[in-house]
Amino acid sequence: MKQAFLPYLAAMLLTLLGSCSHSDDFAPWEQAVESFSVAYFNWDYPKAASYATDSSLPWLSYAGSQVTQDDLELINTKTELATVEVMPDAVIVNDSCVVATVLVRNFLEMDSIDRQPVLREEATFCFEILGNNGRWAVHLTSLPRSER
């Protein structure tokens, strides 16, 4: 009886191990841009910085410095977080550079100084992701702007 049960148990274990954690399906650059985007579009700039290149940090600091108390109150009234989806049309420039499009839903978009953020249902953004010594990070040359 125990011997008849072992193949069944082994098959169940393999199925469970294979179905856990979809993040293994992502390339390292995809994990970096997804994590960056989730943090950035939920206004968690310190966390976004951990998925960005060092030269991107001034842009994140600038974005954070523009957040007002009114903005924070508006953010805290949101009932749902922004969600992101890395689109499958990424361009692999070389072994250390990828350009990816990210679809962002349900996010507050910073408008301009002295204007409240605007709730956007959906927008796409293009990011450059650089790899260095096995670490992939989003590289900003300006604040992210949606594609028109």
Side-chain angles (χ1 to χ4, degrees), residues 70-102:
D70 290 340
D71 295 339
L72 290 175
E73 289 171 11
L74 186 59
I75 291 165
N76 289 331
T77 63
K78 274 189 78 199
T79 57
E80 296 178 30
L81 294 175
T83 60
V84 302
E85 178 182 349
V86 180
M87 304 307 290
D89 61 352
V91 176
I92 299 174
V93 178
N94 57 42
D95 62 353
S96 62
C97 181
V98 176
V99 177
T101 303
V102 176

PDB file of all heavy atoms in Angstrom, residues 70-102:
ATOM      1  N   ASP A  70      -1.117  67.722   1.402  1.00  0.00           N
ATOM      2  CA  ASP A  70      -2.379  67.459   0.697  1.00  0.00           C
ATOM      3  C   ASP A  70      -2.261  66.211  -0.185  1.00  0.00           C
ATOM      4  O   ASP A  70      -3.199  65.416  -0.275  1.00  0.00           O
ATOM      5  CB  ASP A  70      -2.788  68.660  -0.159  1.00  0.00           C
ATOM      6  CG  ASP A  70      -3.231  69.849   0.678  1.00  0.00           C
ATOM      7  OD1 ASP A  70      -3.592  69.653   1.860  1.00  0.00           O
ATOM      8  OD2 ASP A  70      -3.214  70.973   0.140  1.00  0.00           O
ATOM      9  N   ASP A  71      -1.099  66.052  -0.836  1.00  0.00           N
ATOM     10  CA  ASP A  71      -0.872  64.858  -1.659  1.00  0.00           C
ATOM     11  C   ASP A  71      -0.929  63.606  -0.802  1.00  0.00           C
ATOM     12  O   ASP A  71      -1.543  62.600  -1.181  1.00  0.00           O
ATOM     13  CB  ASP A  71       0.491  64.915  -2.354  1.00  0.00           C
ATOM     14  CG  ASP A  71       0.604  66.044  -3.364  1.00  0.00           C
ATOM     15  OD1 ASP A  71      -0.431  66.545  -3.833  1.00  0.00           O
ATOM     16  OD2 ASP A  71       1.759  66.413  -3.671  1.00  0.00           O
ATOM     17  N   LEU A  72      -0.278  63.655   0.356  1.00  0.00           N
ATOM     18  CA  LEU A  72      -0.263  62.492   1.255  1.00  0.00           C
ATOM     19  C   LEU A  72      -1.670  62.128   1.710  1.00  0.00           C
ATOM     20  O   LEU A  72      -2.027  60.949   1.770  1.00  0.00           O
ATOM     21  CB  LEU A  72       0.629  62.760   2.463  1.00  0.00           C
ATOM     22  CG  LEU A  72       2.122  62.829   2.182  1.00  0.00           C
ATOM     23  CD1 LEU A  72       2.881  63.219   3.444  1.00  0.00           C
ATOM     24  CD2 LEU A  72       2.636  61.507   1.638  1.00  0.00           C
ATOM     25  N   GLU A  73      -2.469  63.140   2.006  1.00  0.00           N
ATOM     26  CA  GLU A  73      -3.848  62.873   2.424  1.00  0.00           C
ATOM     27  C   GLU A  73      -4.636  62.228   1.290  1.00  0.00           C
ATOM     28  O   GLU A  73      -5.418  61.303   1.515  1.00  0.00           O
ATOM     29  CB  GLU A  73      -4.507  64.167   2.893  1.00  0.00           C
ATOM     30  CG  GLU A  73      -3.944  64.656   4.221  1.00  0.00           C
ATOM     31  CD  GLU A  73      -4.419  66.038   4.628  1.00  0.00           C
ATOM     32  OE1 GLU A  73      -5.360  66.568   3.992  1.00  0.00           O
ATOM     33  OE2 GLU A  73      -3.849  66.587   5.585  1.00  0.00           O
ATOM     34  N   LEU A  74      -4.408  62.706   0.069  1.00  0.00           N
ATOM     35  CA  LEU A  74      -5.086  62.113  -1.085  1.00  0.00           C
ATOM     36  C   LEU A  74      -4.642  60.668  -1.299  1.00  0.00           C
ATOM     37  O   LEU A  74      -5.459  59.780  -1.543  1.00  0.00           O
ATOM     38  CB  LEU A  74      -4.800  62.950  -2.335  1.00  0.00           C
ATOM     39  CG  LEU A  74      -5.530  62.557  -3.606  1.00  0.00           C
ATOM     40  CD1 LEU A  74      -7.045  62.621  -3.411  1.00  0.00           C
ATOM     41  CD2 LEU A  74      -5.111  63.476  -4.745  1.00  0.00           C
ATOM     42  N   ILE A  75      -3.358  60.412  -1.178  1.00  0.00           N
ATOM     43  CA  ILE A  75      -2.821  59.057  -1.328  1.00  0.00           C
ATOM     44  C   ILE A  75      -3.436  58.126  -0.278  1.00  0.00           C
ATOM     45  O   ILE A  75      -3.813  56.992  -0.576  1.00  0.00           O
ATOM     46  CB  ILE A  75      -1.280  59.062  -1.209  1.00  0.00           C
ATOM     47  CG1 ILE A  75      -0.670  59.757  -2.425  1.00  0.00           C
ATOM     48  CG2 ILE A  75      -0.729  57.654  -1.068  1.00  0.00           C
ATOM     49  CD1 ILE A  75       0.779  60.123  -2.249  1.00  0.00           C
ATOM     50  N   ASN A  76      -3.542  58.619   0.946  1.00  0.00           N
ATOM     51  CA  ASN A  76      -4.071  57.790   2.031  1.00  0.00           C
ATOM     52  C   ASN A  76      -5.557  57.503   1.894  1.00  0.00           C
ATOM     53  O   ASN A  76      -6.062  56.572   2.518  1.00  0.00           O
ATOM     54  CB  ASN A  76      -3.768  58.434   3.382  1.00  0.00           C
ATOM     55  CG  ASN A  76      -2.296  58.364   3.714  1.00  0.00           C
ATOM     56  OD1 ASN A  76      -1.595  57.463   3.284  1.00  0.00           O
ATOM     57  ND2 ASN A  76      -1.804  59.334   4.468  1.00  0.00           N
ATOM     58  N   THR A  77      -6.278  58.280   1.081  1.00  0.00           N
ATOM     59  CA  THR A  77      -7.703  58.001   0.882  1.00  0.00           C
ATOM     60  C   THR A  77      -7.938  56.968  -0.213  1.00  0.00           C
ATOM     61  O   THR A  77      -9.046  56.447  -0.330  1.00  0.00           O
ATOM     62  CB  THR A  77      -8.484  59.290   0.521  1.00  0.00           C
ATOM     63  OG1 THR A  77      -7.997  59.794  -0.724  1.00  0.00           O
ATOM     64  CG2 THR A  77      -8.365  60.333   1.614  1.00  0.00           C
ATOM     65  N   LYS A  78      -6.913  56.674  -1.018  1.00  0.00           N
ATOM     66  CA  LYS A  78      -7.070  55.660  -2.060  1.00  0.00           C
ATOM     67  C   LYS A  78      -7.315  54.302  -1.415  1.00  0.00           C
ATOM     68  O   LYS A  78      -6.638  53.927  -0.480  1.00  0.00           O
ATOM     69  CB  LYS A  78      -5.805  55.575  -2.922  1.00  0.00           C
ATOM     70  CG  LYS A  78      -5.766  56.556  -4.063  1.00  0.00           C
ATOM     71  CD  LYS A  78      -4.597  56.259  -4.969  1.00  0.00           C
ATOM     72  CE  LYS A  78      -4.954  55.111  -5.832  1.00  0.00           C
ATOM     73  NZ  LYS A  78      -3.925  54.394  -6.460  1.00  0.00           N
ATOM     74  N   THR A  79      -8.270  53.583  -1.963  1.00  0.00           N
ATOM     75  CA  THR A  79      -8.588  52.270  -1.391  1.00  0.00           C
ATOM     76  C   THR A  79      -7.821  51.143  -2.077  1.00  0.00           C
ATOM     77  O   THR A  79      -7.704  50.063  -1.522  1.00  0.00           O
ATOM     78  CB  THR A  79     -10.099  51.991  -1.497  1.00  0.00           C
ATOM     79  OG1 THR A  79     -10.489  52.091  -2.869  1.00  0.00           O
ATOM     80  CG2 THR A  79     -10.893  52.980  -0.654  1.00  0.00           C
ATOM     81  N   GLU A  80      -7.320  51.392  -3.292  1.00  0.00           N
ATOM     82  CA  GLU A  80      -6.587  50.365  -4.021  1.00  0.00           C
ATOM     83  C   GLU A  80      -5.221  50.897  -4.424  1.00  0.00           C
ATOM     84  O   GLU A  80      -5.072  52.060  -4.777  1.00  0.00           O
ATOM     85  CB  GLU A  80      -7.337  49.960  -5.290  1.00  0.00           C
ATOM     86  CG  GLU A  80      -8.667  49.304  -5.036  1.00  0.00           C
ATOM     87  CD  GLU A  80      -9.371  48.963  -6.344  1.00  0.00           C
ATOM     88  OE1 GLU A  80      -8.683  48.706  -7.344  1.00  0.00           O
ATOM     89  OE2 GLU A  80     -10.608  48.962  -6.347  1.00  0.00           O
ATOM     90  N   LEU A  81      -4.239  50.027  -4.390  1.00  0.00           N
ATOM     91  CA  LEU A  81      -2.898  50.395  -4.821  1.00  0.00           C
ATOM     92  C   LEU A  81      -2.817  50.388  -6.345  1.00  0.00           C
ATOM     93  O   LEU A  81      -3.597  49.723  -7.018  1.00  0.00           O
ATOM     94  CB  LEU A  81      -1.872  49.414  -4.262  1.00  0.00           C
ATOM     95  CG  LEU A  81      -1.692  49.401  -2.746  1.00  0.00           C
ATOM     96  CD1 LEU A  81      -0.731  48.290  -2.348  1.00  0.00           C
ATOM     97  CD2 LEU A  81      -1.190  50.745  -2.253  1.00  0.00           C
ATOM     98  N   ALA A  82      -1.860  51.115  -6.863  1.00  0.00           N
ATOM     99  CA  ALA A  82      -1.581  51.057  -8.296  1.00  0.00           C
ATOM    100  C   ALA A  82      -1.058  49.659  -8.628  1.00  0.00           C
ATOM    101  O   ALA A  82      -0.355  49.043  -7.830  1.00  0.00           O
ATOM    102  CB  ALA A  82      -0.541  52.111  -8.659  1.00  0.00           C
ATOM    103  N   THR A  83      -1.407  49.181  -9.805  1.00  0.00           N
ATOM    104  CA  THR A  83      -0.911  47.887 -10.257  1.00  0.00           C
ATOM    105  C   THR A  83      -0.112  48.090 -11.542  1.00  0.00           C
ATOM    106  O   THR A  83      -0.351  49.050 -12.285  1.00  0.00           O
ATOM    107  CB  THR A  83      -2.058  46.887 -10.519  1.00  0.00           C
ATOM    108  OG1 THR A  83      -2.914  47.421 -11.533  1.00  0.00           O
ATOM    109  CG2 THR A  83      -2.840  46.620  -9.245  1.00  0.00           C
ATOM    110  N   VAL A  84       0.825  47.188 -11.783  1.00  0.00           N
ATOM    111  CA  VAL A  84       1.671  47.297 -12.967  1.00  0.00           C
ATOM    112  C   VAL A  84       1.733  45.960 -13.691  1.00  0.00           C
ATOM    113  O   VAL A  84       1.566  44.903 -13.087  1.00  0.00           O
ATOM    114  CB  VAL A  84       3.105  47.766 -12.610  1.00  0.00           C
ATOM    115  CG1 VAL A  84       3.076  49.098 -11.890  1.00  0.00           C
ATOM    116  CG2 VAL A  84       3.845  46.748 -11.796  1.00  0.00           C
ATOM    117  N   GLU A  85       1.977  46.063 -14.999  1.00  0.00           N
ATOM    118  CA  GLU A  85       2.155  44.872 -15.821  1.00  0.00           C
ATOM    119  C   GLU A  85       3.285  45.163 -16.802  1.00  0.00           C
ATOM    120  O   GLU A  85       3.214  46.125 -17.569  1.00  0.00           O
ATOM    121  CB  GLU A  85       0.864  44.573 -16.577  1.00  0.00           C
ATOM    122  CG  GLU A  85       0.944  43.389 -17.490  1.00  0.00           C
ATOM    123  CD  GLU A  85      -0.362  43.161 -18.256  1.00  0.00           C
ATOM    124  OE1 GLU A  85      -1.392  43.783 -17.950  1.00  0.00           O
ATOM    125  OE2 GLU A  85      -0.319  42.347 -19.210  1.00  0.00           O
ATOM    126  N   VAL A  86       4.327  44.357 -16.753  1.00  0.00           N
ATOM    127  CA  VAL A  86       5.427  44.493 -17.701  1.00  0.00           C
ATOM    128  C   VAL A  86       4.955  43.884 -19.014  1.00  0.00           C
ATOM    129  O   VAL A  86       4.574  42.714 -19.068  1.00  0.00           O
ATOM    130  CB  VAL A  86       6.706  43.795 -17.199  1.00  0.00           C
ATOM    131  CG1 VAL A  86       7.836  43.954 -18.202  1.00  0.00           C
ATOM    132  CG2 VAL A  86       7.125  44.349 -15.833  1.00  0.00           C
ATOM    133  N   MET A  87       4.960  44.695 -20.056  1.00  0.00           N
ATOM    134  CA  MET A  87       4.456  44.251 -21.348  1.00  0.00           C
ATOM    135  C   MET A  87       5.476  43.337 -22.037  1.00  0.00           C
ATOM    136  O   MET A  87       6.681  43.466 -21.814  1.00  0.00           O
ATOM    137  CB  MET A  87       4.129  45.464 -22.232  1.00  0.00           C
ATOM    138  CG  MET A  87       3.130  46.428 -21.578  1.00  0.00           C
ATOM    139  SD  MET A  87       1.609  45.641 -20.998  1.00  0.00           S
ATOM    140  CE  MET A  87       0.853  45.231 -22.533  1.00  0.00           C
ATOM    141  N   PRO A  88       4.996  42.431 -22.885  1.00  0.00           N
ATOM    142  CA  PRO A  88       5.895  41.451 -23.511  1.00  0.00           C
ATOM    143  C   PRO A  88       6.712  42.000 -24.682  1.00  0.00           C
ATOM    144  O   PRO A  88       7.484  41.270 -25.289  1.00  0.00           O
ATOM    145  CB  PRO A  88       4.927  40.367 -23.998  1.00  0.00           C
ATOM    146  CG  PRO A  88       3.642  41.085 -24.221  1.00  0.00           C
ATOM    147  CD  PRO A  88       3.594  42.169 -23.183  1.00  0.00           C
ATOM    148  N   ASP A  89       6.593  43.300 -24.973  1.00  0.00           N
ATOM    149  CA  ASP A  89       7.271  43.861 -26.146  1.00  0.00           C
ATOM    150  C   ASP A  89       8.643  44.470 -25.829  1.00  0.00           C
ATOM    151  O   ASP A  89       9.117  45.335 -26.559  1.00  0.00           O
ATOM    152  CB  ASP A  89       6.387  44.906 -26.824  1.00  0.00           C
ATOM    153  CG  ASP A  89       6.064  46.085 -25.915  1.00  0.00           C
ATOM    154  OD1 ASP A  89       6.398  46.041 -24.716  1.00  0.00           O
ATOM    155  OD2 ASP A  89       5.476  47.069 -26.407  1.00  0.00           O
ATOM    156  N   ALA A  90       9.287  44.010 -24.783  1.00  0.00           N
ATOM    157  CA  ALA A  90      10.584  44.569 -24.391  1.00  0.00           C
ATOM    158  C   ALA A  90      11.618  44.385 -25.494  1.00  0.00           C
ATOM    159  O   ALA A  90      11.588  43.405 -26.231  1.00  0.00           O
ATOM    160  CB  ALA A  90      11.079  43.918 -23.110  1.00  0.00           C
ATOM    161  N   VAL A  91      12.518  45.352 -25.579  1.00  0.00           N
ATOM    162  CA  VAL A  91      13.610  45.297 -26.543  1.00  0.00           C
ATOM    163  C   VAL A  91      14.896  45.037 -25.775  1.00  0.00           C
ATOM    164  O   VAL A  91      15.287  45.831 -24.916  1.00  0.00           O
ATOM    165  CB  VAL A  91      13.726  46.619 -27.331  1.00  0.00           C
ATOM    166  CG1 VAL A  91      14.930  46.582 -28.262  1.00  0.00           C
ATOM    167  CG2 VAL A  91      12.443  46.893 -28.106  1.00  0.00           C
ATOM    168  N   ILE A  92      15.519  43.908 -26.073  1.00  0.00           N
ATOM    169  CA  ILE A  92      16.793  43.584 -25.436  1.00  0.00           C
ATOM    170  C   ILE A  92      17.880  44.200 -26.312  1.00  0.00           C
ATOM    171  O   ILE A  92      18.168  43.699 -27.402  1.00  0.00           O
ATOM    172  CB  ILE A  92      16.963  42.069 -25.258  1.00  0.00           C
ATOM    173  CG1 ILE A  92      15.844  41.554 -24.349  1.00  0.00           C
ATOM    174  CG2 ILE A  92      18.347  41.738 -24.698  1.00  0.00           C
ATOM    175  CD1 ILE A  92      15.784  40.062 -24.194  1.00  0.00           C
ATOM    176  N   VAL A  93      18.432  45.316 -25.842  1.00  0.00           N
ATOM    177  CA  VAL A  93      19.424  46.056 -26.616  1.00  0.00           C
ATOM    178  C   VAL A  93      20.732  45.267 -26.685  1.00  0.00           C
ATOM    179  O   VAL A  93      21.323  45.112 -27.740  1.00  0.00           O
ATOM    180  CB  VAL A  93      19.645  47.459 -26.016  1.00  0.00           C
ATOM    181  CG1 VAL A  93      20.715  48.222 -26.781  1.00  0.00           C
ATOM    182  CG2 VAL A  93      18.330  48.238 -25.990  1.00  0.00           C
ATOM    183  N   ASN A  94      21.168  44.786 -25.523  1.00  0.00           N
ATOM    184  CA  ASN A  94      22.350  43.922 -25.445  1.00  0.00           C
ATOM    185  C   ASN A  94      22.271  43.169 -24.126  1.00  0.00           C
ATOM    186  O   ASN A  94      21.242  43.212 -23.454  1.00  0.00           O
ATOM    187  CB  ASN A  94      23.660  44.726 -25.607  1.00  0.00           C
ATOM    188  CG  ASN A  94      23.782  45.839 -24.586  1.00  0.00           C
ATOM    189  OD1 ASN A  94      23.471  45.660 -23.406  1.00  0.00           O
ATOM    190  ND2 ASN A  94      24.233  47.002 -25.025  1.00  0.00           N
ATOM    191  N   ASP A  95      23.341  42.507 -23.725  1.00  0.00           N
ATOM    192  CA  ASP A  95      23.264  41.676 -22.517  1.00  0.00           C
ATOM    193  C   ASP A  95      23.204  42.484 -21.222  1.00  0.00           C
ATOM    194  O   ASP A  95      23.061  41.914 -20.143  1.00  0.00           O
ATOM    195  CB  ASP A  95      24.409  40.665 -22.469  1.00  0.00           C
ATOM    196  CG  ASP A  95      25.776  41.318 -22.413  1.00  0.00           C
ATOM    197  OD1 ASP A  95      25.878  42.554 -22.548  1.00  0.00           O
ATOM    198  OD2 ASP A  95      26.760  40.575 -22.240  1.00  0.00           O
ATOM    199  N   SER A  96      23.282  43.810 -21.305  1.00  0.00           N
ATOM    200  CA  SER A  96      23.194  44.615 -20.086  1.00  0.00           C
ATOM    201  C   SER A  96      22.247  45.803 -20.228  1.00  0.00           C
ATOM    202  O   SER A  96      22.275  46.726 -19.422  1.00  0.00           O
ATOM    203  CB  SER A  96      24.581  45.111 -19.681  1.00  0.00           C
ATOM    204  OG  SER A  96      25.111  45.944 -20.687  1.00  0.00           O
ATOM    205  N   CYS A  97      21.380  45.781 -21.235  1.00  0.00           N
ATOM    206  CA  CYS A  97      20.434  46.883 -21.427  1.00  0.00           C
ATOM    207  C   CYS A  97      19.146  46.366 -22.060  1.00  0.00           C
ATOM    208  O   CYS A  97      19.179  45.707 -23.098  1.00  0.00           O
ATOM    209  CB  CYS A  97      21.048  47.974 -22.298  1.00  0.00           C
ATOM    210  SG  CYS A  97      19.953  49.384 -22.544  1.00  0.00           S
ATOM    211  N   VAL A  98      18.027  46.690 -21.404  1.00  0.00           N
ATOM    212  CA  VAL A  98      16.703  46.316 -21.897  1.00  0.00           C
ATOM    213  C   VAL A  98      15.821  47.554 -21.818  1.00  0.00           C
ATOM    214  O   VAL A  98      15.919  48.329 -20.868  1.00  0.00           O
ATOM    215  CB  VAL A  98      16.087  45.181 -21.039  1.00  0.00           C
ATOM    216  CG1 VAL A  98      14.669  44.860 -21.487  1.00  0.00           C
ATOM    217  CG2 VAL A  98      16.960  43.941 -21.082  1.00  0.00           C
ATOM    218  N   VAL A  99      14.977  47.750 -22.811  1.00  0.00           N
ATOM    219  CA  VAL A  99      13.981  48.813 -22.790  1.00  0.00           C
ATOM    220  C   VAL A  99      12.625  48.129 -22.702  1.00  0.00           C
ATOM    221  O   VAL A  99      12.281  47.314 -23.567  1.00  0.00           O
ATOM    222  CB  VAL A  99      14.080  49.713 -24.033  1.00  0.00           C
ATOM    223  CG1 VAL A  99      12.983  50.774 -24.009  1.00  0.00           C
ATOM    224  CG2 VAL A  99      15.458  50.367 -24.108  1.00  0.00           C
ATOM    225  N   ALA A 100      11.880  48.449 -21.650  1.00  0.00           N
ATOM    226  CA  ALA A 100      10.606  47.772 -21.399  1.00  0.00           C
ATOM    227  C   ALA A 100       9.470  48.770 -21.246  1.00  0.00           C
ATOM    228  O   ALA A 100       9.665  49.887 -20.762  1.00  0.00           O
ATOM    229  CB  ALA A 100      10.705  46.917 -20.137  1.00  0.00           C
ATOM    230  N   THR A 101       8.293  48.333 -21.648  1.00  0.00           N
ATOM    231  CA  THR A 101       7.076  49.116 -21.479  1.00  0.00           C
ATOM    232  C   THR A 101       6.305  48.534 -20.304  1.00  0.00           C
ATOM    233  O   THR A 101       6.176  47.314 -20.177  1.00  0.00           O
ATOM    234  CB  THR A 101       6.212  49.055 -22.752  1.00  0.00           C
ATOM    235  OG1 THR A 101       6.997  49.522 -23.848  1.00  0.00           O
ATOM    236  CG2 THR A 101       4.966  49.899 -22.617  1.00  0.00           C
ATOM    237  N   VAL A 102       5.804  49.427 -19.457  1.00  0.00           N
ATOM    238  CA  VAL A 102       5.043  49.008 -18.285  1.00  0.00           C
ATOM    239  C   VAL A 102       3.668  49.661 -18.350  1.00  0.00           C
ATOM    240  O   VAL A 102       3.554  50.873 -18.554  1.00  0.00           O
ATOM    241  CB  VAL A 102       5.769  49.423 -16.980  1.00  0.00           C
ATOM    242  CG1 VAL A 102       4.935  49.071 -15.757  1.00  0.00           C
ATOM    243  CG2 VAL A 102       7.138  48.764 -16.902  1.00  0.00           C
TER     244      VAL A 102
END
